Amino acid sequence: DVELATSPRDLIANWHIHTAKWLYDYVYLPAAAGKKPGFRATFFTNLTSAFWHGFRWGYYVTFSSIAFTVLTWRILRRKLYYPISRINPTLSRIVGIVLTQFFGCTILMPFILLGWKESLFYLRQVYYAPQIVLIVLFVIGISLPVFK
């Protein structure tokens, strides 16, 4: 399920199932405080995961990027993915896999590099493409109407 995850949330949830379950039960749900979980719960869960991993900058860059990626994907899923999946389920699955793997491969690099300088060097080398694409997709997502 990690290699063919169709969303960033699925990728994270299946990466380390027991840790993801613990974070969901003990951080994500309590951070929602009885409301529908949103960005705040996602951000605190990812911040906790970064803290859990250690005190290297790469963890915090990666996990804050993951929180924003999951938020963007939620918006796009509601506004584009579901309507497209009604028309062509195979196409929506392929697009989901490709986007998830792109963001998984590019956003996880600071996690591997760990250092702040190394992470910034990597991001400069790819011209901040993952973050720019993510921001563009977020803006597109929030500006689109919800298709019925």
Side-chain angles (χ1 to χ4, degrees):
D1 285 344
V2 171
E3 291 82 7
L4 296 177
T6 58
S7 74
R9 187 223 164 270
D10 290 344
L11 178 69
I12 302 303
N14 291 308
W15 187 267
H16 193 289
I17 295 171
H18 296 294
T19 304
K21 175 81 171 112
W22 187 90
L23 286 167
Y24 180 80
D25 290 341
Y26 294 102
V27 180
Y28 183 76
L29 291 178
K35 300 176 189 170
K36 182 179 177 186
F39 181 71
R40 186 179 80 184
T42 302
F43 182 76
F44 282 130
T45 304
N46 280 284
L47 185 65
T48 302
S49 189
F51 181 75
W52 181 318
H53 281 84
F55 295 104
R56 303 295 296 268
W57 281 107
Y59 298 138
Y60 294 90
V61 170
T62 297
F63 286 104
S64 61
S65 296
I66 288 171
F68 191 65
T69 302
V70 170
L71 170 69
T72 302
W73 187 257
R74 282 181 187 151
I75 293 167
L76 291 174
R77 181 184 61 209
R78 183 176 31 137
K79 295 188 176 183
L80 287 176
Y81 186 77
Y82 288 147
I84 292 171
S85 67
R86 286 188 215 126
I87 298 166
N88 190 337
T90 304
L91 176 64
S92 65
R93 182 163 171 76
I94 290 169
V95 169
I97 291 169
V98 168
L99 285 175
T100 298
Q101 294 306 316
F102 168 74
F103 285 113
C105 291
T106 56
I107 287 177
L108 291 175
M109 278 305 291
F111 183 91
I112 295 166
L113 298 171
L114 295 179
W116 180 252
K117 289 180 183 177
E118 295 86 352
S119 297
L120 285 178
F121 178 77
Y122 159 73
L123 291 171
R124 280 193 301 267
Q125 293 301 305
V126 296
Y127 302 104
Y128 298 93
Q131 284 72 18
I132 291 170
V133 170
L134 191 59
I135 291 167
V136 168
L137 289 174
F138 177 77
V139 170
I140 290 170
I142 62 172
S143 63
L144 286 174
V146 177
F147 296 103
K148 302 288 178 177

